[in-house]
Amino acid sequence: MSKKPANATLTTATIEEQTAAFLKSGGSVEYVVKGKSGQFAATGSKQINLKSG
């Protein structure tokens, strides 16, 4: 488990180091177009009826 800096602020260098370690370990980065979620819905969309009473 990695330690967070005392003030919990990640610096650019820390992010670059973590990214390099991730890629070196075989991880990959996938480009996701703007407006598209990276999450997959297990079920269909849920509709809420606000006028039911």
Side-chain angles (χ1 to χ4, degrees):
M1 186 167 169
S2 64
K3 291 184 178 182
K4 291 183 180 179
N7 62 2
T9 301
L10 293 176
T11 63
T12 301
T14 303
I15 294 170
E16 288 175 354
E17 290 171 9
Q18 291 175 352
T19 303
F22 172 75
L23 294 172
K24 186 176 181 180
S25 71
S28 64
V29 177
E30 179 181 341
Y31 177 78
V32 178
V33 294
K34 184 176 180 179
K36 181 175 180 177
S37 173
Q39 297 180 347
F40 298 101
T43 60
S45 63
K46 296 180 182 177
Q47 294 183 354
I48 301 172
N49 184 356
L50 298 175
K51 294 183 180 183
S52 66

